[in-house]
Amino acid sequence: MNSLNDIDYGTPRRESAETVTLEIDGVSVTVPKGTSVMRASTEAGINVPKLCATDTLEAFGSCRVCLVEIEGRKGYPASCTTPAENGMRVKTQTPKLADIRRGMLELYISDHPLDCLTCPTNGNCELQDVAGLVGLREVRYGYKGKNHLEMKKDESNPYFTYDPSKCIVCNRCVRACEETQGTFALTIDGRGFDSRVAAGQNEAFMESECVSCGACVQACPTATLTEKTVIRIGQAEHSAITTCAYCGVGCGFKAEMKGSEVVRMVPWKDGKANHGHSCVKGRFAWGYATHKDRMLKPMIRKKITDPWQEVSWEEAVGYAASEFRRIQQQHGRDSIGGITSSRCTNEETYLVQKLVRAAFGNNNVDTCARVCHSPTGYGLKQTLGESAGTQTFDSVMKADVIMVIGANPVAAHPVFASQMKRRLRQGAKLIVVDPRTTEMVRGAHYEADYHLKLRPGTNVAVISALAHVIVTEGLIDDAFVAQRCDAQSFSDWIAFVSRPENSPEAMAEITGVPADMLRGAARLYATGGNAAIYYGLGVTEHAQGSTMVMGIANLAMATGNIGREGVGVNPLRGQNNVQGSCDMGSFPHELPGYRHISDTVTRSEFEAHWGVTLNPEPGLRIPNMFDAALDGSFKGLYCQGEDIVQSDPNTQHVAEALSSMECIVVQDLFLNETAKYAHVFLPGSSFLEKDGTFTNAERRISRVRKVMPPKTGYSDWEVTQLLSNALGYPMSYVHPSEIMEEIASLTPTFHGVSFEKIERMGSIQWPCNEAAPEGTPIMHVDHFVRGKGKFVITKYVPSTEKVTQRFPLILTTGRILSQYNVGAQTRRTENVQWHSEDRLEIHPHDAEERGIRQDDWVGIESRSGQTVLRATITENVQPGVVYTTFHFPESGANVITTDNSDWATNCPEYKVTAVQAMPVAQPSEWQREYQRFNRQQLELAKLEAADN
Ligand code: SF4
Ligand code: SF4
Ligand code: SF4
Ligand code: FES
């Protein structure tokens, strides 16, 4: 169903250099060749009635209400399926057309419940609109004939209903599921009068393959598929464009509101990252923002065993500031620090790092990107010169070969995955490098040409072997390399990768990937046309994460697959603002724009603007903060929007470090796991309650708009400002746009960015400055940001985390579609119906050997700790490998992950942990202690245990 005030052009826009000019109802209109008569009419401001057509889907031509008359043509062609031609003369309104349309509508209405006044989509129903447009006044067939009015509703999906009695069998939902989402969950079951939409094998929606993306609901012109919130609340009365606060795709949404209540989130058709599509999280899982677990009052306590005391904002902020100053007096300037969040806005993140550097007077600031994409920042900066992905998402539509390494976009970046799958259905080739058989390997109408099912921890061996084939088989793009890359580093790299020990045959033993398969994949990547690499945390979260990122960049440069559409190196960022939090100077060694703190020129610019002297030495990274806390030199932490206890590796170590600190200030929506170790709790604001910007994985800066007042009285940036003022470092921004002005003035890649420009353009991809005033969709077009592209030697070094007789399996971790990161938001929505617990995936052989059956409780033990999860037996994991997600705190997935980390950035090696798995009958000791501590902390905050 179309949302407030959107024009529906009926058929998709066509791109063509050629145009055609035609006359419609006497109006001359010029459109790109291939445009339908219907779209041309709408562009000329002429409204042709339609039911089965909508501009997000290819025309289908089934409803016959869009018929027109075309001079010189027989009959009444459907305007949605007829391409506009030069010189055509079209009439959209004639008495005959009116008759035919009324006749069609009569047929539809005779089998439609006439309950318009009580229908949830009353006022926003295309059937109703078209009946009005064609002037339907009577239904000659009456309502007594055969009909579908008694058909039962399917209420199984928690977010939308399917009411078949209202279905006009226009097929829009079926096409949306196929074309837009790529799941193919819907069909039209039966024939003629008996036909109706069916999910799966005529099952309930929740039993079918449906992933609840909402595309069908969006496409449905009637109340057949309707959001339950619309049924409950009624139609919205105003709306605002904002950006999803979940993953790094950064989908644009229209928040449809009634007063300050969200009625529904409708994917924004003009959103350049999503083009009107969405996934279950952004579309439906926003209820956490008003969940009863939201903490709305500031609280303080002296010790973590004390009950929390609700206090005023002034008192809480004043207490935090006085504690921070006391600690600094006692333990030195460097004894406190801050952690910024990839879930907060750019402006909020910028303020936290400014507070740390200017008000704390040190560089002890780090971000949760440390534990996900810090190797991307390092690796791409070294090789290409800029710490960011090179493409737009749309660029994938020009790729001929898509290589996905260590990522499962179907689960973690679903809207981009839908676009990628569309390209695959058009015939692009696919290489997947992943230890698991994920949904990316095989799905509806696509299958990987090569699945390199490597052993966890052997990425670098695979990338070097791919490079070996490309070099030794003469598949290098010599012209590109000669013109664009650094000659010395290239010849060193050639010499290195050509060595026999890097051949696929030599590496097969290590990687487990058959040499012929690896050779085939390398040839395809190098010779298959435009080749694009997309990668995720399966690349970065390794001891050699940075090495692998550089190996990927090497491969792209060597084959000339960089600097134009359809190619590139594309890190898929996990959280909504991972890119932004890194851009904003959240790392201890970098000021905004990735400039080193030791650089005197850069530092002096910030010093002049901020009116302080900055420390030229990098501060502590998160793991260093924990170590310093344990050795007694780090005592205070300001943690905004991040749950380090759940998300960081080796939970016991983190908890021990936090327990030894004197003032932990947590700013969050919920009393999260970290807050249980805190002394000051500052309630946070959701993305619906603040203004600002997020930057997605394509470097796209989009607006986040306040659609409801902050439930706590303040947006998060205002709280940071209060804290800064209380610390004696004045901040006086009145709107986040002023913070962006400061960011832009101090950051060369952001010089041209402003709220006003984002407003005008919808979104902007940085760099946006004097050289690129409208932003930069594709990077490194004529030359690399660093000048010449630099090849880096990528020697494979086995992880120190080795399997042994005691720990014979490798555990690797990942995400699932319906949950998000630590789950704090999605666990507080109906998304738990899809995934209510973390499970251990284990291969049937490994399970059988251990006597583990489906759903059994399994104890998993590593060198770090133990936890207990239920088993899912599946061949998606290979023998010797087990897998789990980390969305539930009580699972304790990070109790077992270790302190191993990337050599360059300390990004934890989440993807490789040697473990043993055995059937057990009770929770692990850690879990029992967690339950006790959790209960105690909830009591101290006078909260009940969460009931979902
Ligand atoms: S919600 Fe999405 S996946 Fe489910 S049937 Fe509709 S379009 Fe298909
Ligand atoms: S459910 Fe809606 S979109 Fe699907 S066929 Fe019926 S009326 Fe059309
Ligand atoms: S794909 Fe990502 S950004 Fe888009 S709706 Fe889903 S979670 Fe939100
Ligand atoms: S809108 Fe053209 S046939 Fe239905």
Side-chain angles (χ1 to χ4, degrees):
M1 182 99 27
N2 282 311
S3 47
L4 299 180
N5 309 322
D6 270 348
I7 297 177
D8 184 345
Y9 291 87
T11 63
R13 179 199 304 276
R14 292 285 180 250
E15 307 283 344
S16 173
E18 259 185 83
T19 57
V20 294
T21 300
L22 67 164
E23 191 186 291
I24 305 175
D25 293 345
V27 179
S28 171
V29 51
T30 302
V31 290
K33 196 170 178 207
T35 302
S36 68
V37 168
M38 173 178 279
R39 188 169 179 114
S41 304
T42 318
E43 287 185 9
I46 297 162
N47 190 359
V48 183
K50 60 182 181 304
L51 280 173
C52 69
T54 184
D55 58 11
T56 51
L57 301 169
E58 291 302 326
F60 191 61
S62 71
C63 76
R64 312 295 292 165
V65 300
C66 71
L67 311 186
V68 290
E69 291 179 15
I70 300 176
E71 204 173 275
R73 291 214 189 168
K74 278 202 199 135
Y76 304 95
S79 62
C80 62
T81 49
T82 307
E85 286 173 19
N86 262 329
M88 236 180 199
R89 291 158 73 93
V90 181
K91 282 191 188 147
T92 71
Q93 305 294 344
T94 67
K96 183 67 196 165
L97 289 172
D99 256 9
I100 302 174
R101 288 176 187 153
R102 267 197 295 272
M104 294 310 300
L105 257 289
E106 265 186 276
L107 281 172
Y108 283 119
I109 298 295
S110 67
D111 182 19
H112 200 82
L114 291 184
D115 58 356
C116 286
L117 284 183
T118 52
C119 177
T121 58
N122 185 17
N124 193 11
C125 168
E126 292 179 48
L127 184 63
Q128 206 177 40
D129 294 347
V130 173
L133 267 180
V134 304
L136 185 71
R137 294 290 173 265
E138 58 169 346
V139 175
R140 285 164 298 171
Y141 315 105
Y143 305 101
K144 301 248 160 43
K146 207 172 156 202
N147 60 47
H148 301 85
L149 304 186
E150 299 303 321
M151 284 186 82
K152 229 173 135 255
K153 278 190 190 177
D154 176 354
E155 300 269 13
S156 62
N157 184 291
Y159 296 121
F160 61 83
T161 61
Y162 168 55
D163 179 353
S165 72
K166 295 189 167 168
C167 179
I168 58 170
V169 203
C170 67
N171 206 285
R172 274 161 63 161
C173 54
V174 178
R175 285 178 284 145
C177 193
E178 292 173 2
E179 290 174 29
T180 311
Q181 163 59 19
T183 292
F184 294 75
L186 301 179
T187 47
I188 300 290
D189 187 55
R191 286 170 167 238
F193 179 82
D194 291 326
S195 57
R196 269 302 171 265
V197 171
Q201 306 300 313
N202 228 334
E203 301 151 289
F205 269 75
M206 278 304 267
E207 309 296 314
S208 74
E209 322 75 308
C210 167
V211 291
S212 198
C213 71
C216 55
V217 182
Q218 184 64 13
C220 181
T222 65
T224 313
L225 289 160
T226 307
E227 298 90 345
K228 287 184 175 174
T229 47
V230 172
I231 296 174
R232 185 167 52 78
I233 307 171
Q235 293 291 322
E237 40 81 16
H238 71 277
S239 68
I241 301 298
T242 191
T243 304
C244 178
Y246 279 117
C247 87
V249 177
C251 296
F253 275 90
K254 189 178 271 190
E256 291 196 356
M257 310 292 298
K258 186 167 247 173
S260 58
E261 186 176 22
V262 179
V263 173
R264 61 177 182 170
M265 296 291 282
V266 178
W268 187 32
K269 277 207 304 200
D270 294 332
K272 296 199 179 81
N274 59 320
H275 305 293
H277 190 32
S278 60
C279 83
V280 62
K281 295 190 284 286
R283 177 76 153 96
F284 296 117
W286 36 267
Y288 69 88
T290 50
H291 194 274
K292 65 177 175 45
D293 288 355
R294 272 285 296 271
M295 306 299 289
L296 301 175
K297 292 276 179 347
M299 303 188 296
I300 57 174
R301 59 182 176 179
K302 288 235 158 7
K303 301 196 299 293
I304 68 165
T305 46
D306 289 346
W308 283 103
Q309 260 186 290
E310 280 185 12
V311 292
S312 66
W313 274 106
E314 205 180 16
E315 194 176 339
V317 168
Y319 180 74
S322 68
E323 276 297 278
F324 283 150
R325 285 297 184 230
R326 175 190 65 76
I327 291 170
Q328 285 189 305
Q329 269 158 20
Q330 278 178 3
H331 301 279
R333 195 180 56 176
D334 296 337
S335 57
I336 63 174
I339 295 180
T340 72
S341 171
S342 297
R343 285 182 232 174
C344 287
T345 63
N346 286 317
E347 294 72 16
E348 287 163 346
T349 311
Y350 175 85
L351 275 205
V352 173
Q353 64 87 34
K354 178 174 177 179
L355 173 125
V356 170
R357 299 187 203 277
F360 288 2
N362 63 43
N363 293 312
N364 292 338
V365 61
D366 206 357
T367 176
C368 51
R370 166 76 50 218
V371 301
C372 65
H373 266 289
S374 48
T376 289
Y378 179 87
L380 296 186
K381 180 109 186 166
Q382 292 296 311
T383 46
L384 312 180
E386 191 57 273
S387 304
T390 61
Q391 308 299 114
T392 57
F393 287 137
D394 286 352
S395 153
V396 78
M397 298 310 286
K398 302 260 167 68
D400 302 306
V401 179
I402 298 170
M403 171 137 60
V404 181
I405 311 179
N408 182 8
V410 177
H413 303 87
V415 165
F416 175 59
S418 290
Q419 191 174 26
M420 190 185 260
K421 289 192 286 184
R422 204 171 312 138
R423 183 62 189 155
L424 293 172
R425 292 198 300 276
Q426 290 172 357
K429 303 284 183 200
L430 175 64
I431 302 165
V432 176
V433 184
D434 202 297
R436 294 172 64 228
T437 306
T438 65
E439 298 98 318
M440 205 59 243
V441 172
R442 200 169 296 112
H445 304 284
Y446 69 89
E447 179 159 9
D449 298 85
Y450 294 96
H451 175 199
L452 309 187
K453 204 168 179 173
L454 76 177
R455 289 201 184 98
T458 63
N459 282 335
V460 172
V462 167
I463 207 82
S464 294
L466 288 169
H468 177 94
V469 178
I470 287 167
V471 168
T472 56
E473 296 192 9
L475 308 179
I476 295 282
D477 183 339
D478 295 315
F480 182 91
V481 172
Q483 194 197 341
R484 302 280 308 267
C485 302
D486 172 67
Q488 184 60 51
S489 68
F490 178 63
S491 65
D492 293 347
W493 178 75
I494 290 274
F496 166 74
V497 295
S498 324
R499 288 187 204 156
E501 69 256 31
N502 284 322
S503 71
E505 289 71 20
M507 285 297 193
E509 180 80 3
I510 293 165
T511 61
V513 178
D516 56 340
M517 195 179 261
L518 197 138
R519 281 189 182 274
R523 289 172 194 140
L524 177 59
Y525 176 77
T527 64
N530 282 343
I533 298 180
Y534 295 86
Y535 72 87
L537 304 184
V539 160
T540 53
E541 291 177 342
H542 283 90
Q544 283 200 289
S546 292
T547 316
M548 180 61 181
V549 172
M550 294 188 287
I552 288 172
N554 290 341
L555 217 58
M557 288 189 290
T559 52
N561 277 310
I562 208 135
R564 61 179 189 280
E565 281 200 287
V567 297
V569 174
N570 304 282
L572 295 170
R573 309 288 186 154
Q575 304 194 71
N576 52 326
N577 203 31
V578 175
Q579 182 68 55
S581 72
C582 298
D583 301 342
M584 291 298 108
S586 295
F587 291 128
H589 65 293
E590 278 172 345
L591 285 161
Y594 304 98
R595 285 158 308 151
H596 206 280
I597 189 78
S598 63
D599 180 68
T600 316
V601 177
T602 307
R603 212 174 52 251
S604 58
E605 274 177 43
F606 281 86
E607 287 177 337
H609 206 287
W610 293 353
V612 292
T613 303
L614 295 173
N615 183 346
E617 290 298 318
L620 299 174
R621 295 172 174 181
I622 293 171
N624 309 129
M625 291 182 196
F626 297 149
D627 293 343
L630 286 169
D631 77 20
S633 59
F634 190 78
K635 295 284 184 188
L637 181 68
Y638 171 36
C639 183
Q640 183 184 71
E642 212 31 62
D643 194 358
I644 45 179
V645 171
Q646 195 184 335
S647 64
D648 282 41
N650 196 347
T651 309
Q652 304 89 307
H653 178 73
V654 178
E656 218 182 307
L658 296 189
S659 306
S660 69
M661 290 167 68
E662 293 175 5
C663 181
I664 296 175
V665 178
V666 165
Q667 187 174 1
D668 209 279
L669 300 180
F670 304 104
L671 194 77
N672 64 15
E673 300 309 305
T674 309
K676 291 169 188 165
Y677 295 87
H679 307 86
V680 179
F681 185 84
L682 304 175
S685 48
S686 75
F687 77 114
L688 298 168
E689 297 156 52
K690 56 196 179 192
D691 281 302
T693 56
F694 291 151
T695 307
N696 77 352
E698 316 162 280
R699 295 168 276 107
R700 185 182 299 287
I701 311 164
S702 303
R703 278 281 272 120
V704 179
R705 288 186 178 82
K706 180 151 81 176
V707 297
M708 57 174 73
K711 292 190 167 300
T712 64
Y714 290 113
S715 297
D716 292 327
W717 66 270
E718 294 174 291
V719 176
T720 306
Q721 176 157 296
L722 288 175
L723 181 58
S724 189
N725 288 329
L727 283 160
Y729 180 76
M731 289 187 187
S732 56
Y733 307 98
V734 294
H735 190 268
S737 59
E738 296 175 4
I739 307 174
M740 181 51 89
E741 270 170 38
E742 182 174 318
I743 296 165
S745 73
L746 288 167
T747 313
T749 43
F750 277 66
H751 273 177
V753 178
S754 67
F755 275 37
E756 179 277 316
K757 193 182 278 182
I758 301 173
E759 204 71 48
R760 188 159 39 83
M761 294 181 58
S763 59
I764 303 172
Q765 286 176 277
W766 68 257
C768 173
N769 49 25
E770 300 73 10
E774 305 280 275
T776 310
I778 309 284
M779 292 198 74
H780 315 294
V781 173
D782 299 316
H783 54 83
F784 287 102
V785 170
R786 73 179 299 284
K788 296 277 185 190
K790 183 179 169 195
F791 285 82
V792 176
I793 306 284
T794 55
K795 184 169 166 36
Y796 169 66
V797 179
S799 168
T800 52
E801 183 66 10
K802 301 235 185 300
V803 290
T804 57
Q805 222 171 0
R806 179 154 175 231
F807 302 114
L809 302 169
I810 289 286
L811 170 79
T812 184
T813 61
R815 297 168 192 226
I816 199 154
L817 171 68
S818 53
Q819 294 288 349
Y820 172 72
N821 204 271
V822 294
Q825 292 137 292
T826 41
R827 278 187 278 114
R828 291 181 169 94
T829 69
E830 293 298 333
N831 279 25
V832 286
Q833 292 198 26
W834 284 275
H835 183 82
S836 57
E837 61 177 351
D838 294 319
R839 291 267 187 146
L840 186 80
E841 290 188 6
I842 185 165
H843 190 273
H845 293 168
D846 293 325
E848 196 184 345
E849 228 172 55
R850 291 164 173 77
I852 295 169
R853 289 158 308 169
Q854 179 69 19
D855 301 334
D856 275 358
W857 289 104
V858 182
I860 309 124
E861 185 182 1
S862 74
R863 295 177 181 95
S864 291
Q866 288 178 332
T867 195
V868 172
L869 298 173
R870 285 203 291 157
T872 294
I873 298 177
T874 169
E875 289 187 3
N876 287 347
V877 288
Q878 50 185 294
V881 176
V882 288
Y883 167 85
T884 188
T885 48
F886 55 93
H887 302 302
F888 289 79
E890 55 275 18
S891 317
N894 282 325
V895 171
I896 29 187
T897 54
T898 68
D899 283 334
N900 283 2
S901 66
D902 174 44
W903 61 272
T905 65
N906 277 143
C907 181
E909 194 179 27
Y910 289 116
K911 305 294 183 188
V912 186
T913 308
V915 297
Q916 178 58 293
M918 283 296 169
V920 292
Q922 55 179 5
S924 74
E925 200 180 312
W926 176 84
Q927 279 164 315
R928 286 198 296 274
E929 173 51 24
Y930 170 79
Q931 283 159 5
R932 186 204 61 76
F933 180 67
N934 187 43
R935 252 194 320 273
Q936 178 203 34
Q937 286 300 320
L938 293 177
E939 277 164 20
L940 293 173
K942 301 194 186 67
L943 291 174
E944 288 165 21
D947 51 14
N948 51 16

